[in-house]
Amino acid sequence: MTTWIVLGVIVLIAIFAILLYNRLVAARAQVDEAWSDIQVQMKRRYDLIPNLVETVKGYASHERQTLEAVIEARNQAATNTGSPNSQAQSENMLTGALGRLFALAESYPNLKADQNFRHLQEELAETENQISRSRRFYNGSVKAFNVMIQSFPANLFARSLGFSEREFLEFDDPKVAEPVKVDFGMPQA
């Protein structure tokens, strides 16, 4: 009889360990999927930027330094495959460069009125919104995963099974966390 009780306890512990491991794997997969979504949106952003710069070049070719800074920041961000912290730093630089580009565009009324430029601005603004949504989903997934790893009884097994906490994607400058401001020159009510 004692053998059956011991065997039953061992089976229950094994079932519990399997269920716990599977929950941790599912949570880790959700974090990975959320990070992948962010990278897809950022790639879309990186693909839009050269078209935007080319459009601006036609109107403000003598503003070469600003245009080169945008392309350099874009290239650095696009090739960054590091941690969320590293990616956030690259994105901070890119957002700052884009802000200077849009400030430059304010000086050129013909550029602001250009249909292609306005279309690219709209696409970039939508992409910024999608990045923001993806970032919120990613950070929520990271929070749930980290809480799961830190909670009892998972905290007893998680590290030994190869699970470790993930980084949040946070921007240093609170202004950078906002989407790039796009002004279409329309009067406000």
Side-chain angles (χ1 to χ4, degrees), residues 52-92:
L52 190 62
V53 168
E54 286 302 315
T55 303
V56 173
K57 274 185 186 177
Y59 290 92
S61 59
H62 61 282
E63 302 285 355
R64 185 176 180 154
Q65 186 177 11
T66 301
L67 299 173
E68 287 175 356
V70 171
I71 291 299
E72 183 180 329
R74 178 251 182 219
N75 290 342
Q76 184 176 356
T79 58
N80 186 338
T81 58
S83 68
N85 262 347
S86 173
Q87 190 70 49
Q89 290 174 356
S90 295
E91 292 301 315
N92 287 341

Side-chain angles (χ1 to χ4, degrees), residues 50-174:
N51 295 330
L52 190 62
V53 168
E54 286 302 315
T55 303
V56 173
K57 274 185 186 177
Y59 290 92
S61 59
H62 61 282
E63 302 285 355
R64 185 176 180 154
Q65 186 177 11
T66 301
L67 299 173
E68 287 175 356
V70 171
I71 291 299
E72 183 180 329
R74 178 251 182 219
N75 290 342
Q76 184 176 356
T79 58
N80 186 338
T81 58
S83 68
N85 262 347
S86 173
Q87 190 70 49
Q89 290 174 356
S90 295
E91 292 301 315
N92 287 341
M93 290 176 46
L94 179 56
T95 300
L98 282 173
R100 289 188 299 278
L101 178 71
F102 287 123
L104 172 72
E106 292 295 317
S107 304
Y108 296 90
N110 290 340
L111 174 60
K112 285 174 42 177
D114 182 84
Q115 188 71 15
N116 191 33
F117 182 74
R118 291 177 62 178
H119 175 72
L120 289 167
Q121 279 186 314
E122 290 170 3
E123 280 192 50
L124 189 58
E126 176 56 30
T127 300
E128 294 294 333
N129 288 334
Q130 290 175 5
I131 289 171
S132 179
R133 285 190 295 271
S134 295
R135 188 172 63 92
R136 281 193 304 272
F137 179 69
Y138 171 79
N139 284 340
S141 298
V142 166
K143 177 184 174 189
F145 180 70
N146 288 349
V147 166
M148 186 180 297
I149 287 175
Q150 295 169 359
S151 299
F152 183 81
N155 64 345
L156 300 174
F157 306 103
R159 298 220 190 287
S160 63
L161 294 173
F163 295 95
S164 59
E165 293 179 18
R166 296 291 183 93
E167 292 179 23
F168 289 97
L169 178 59
E170 298 184 56
F171 298 109
D172 296 333
D173 183 356

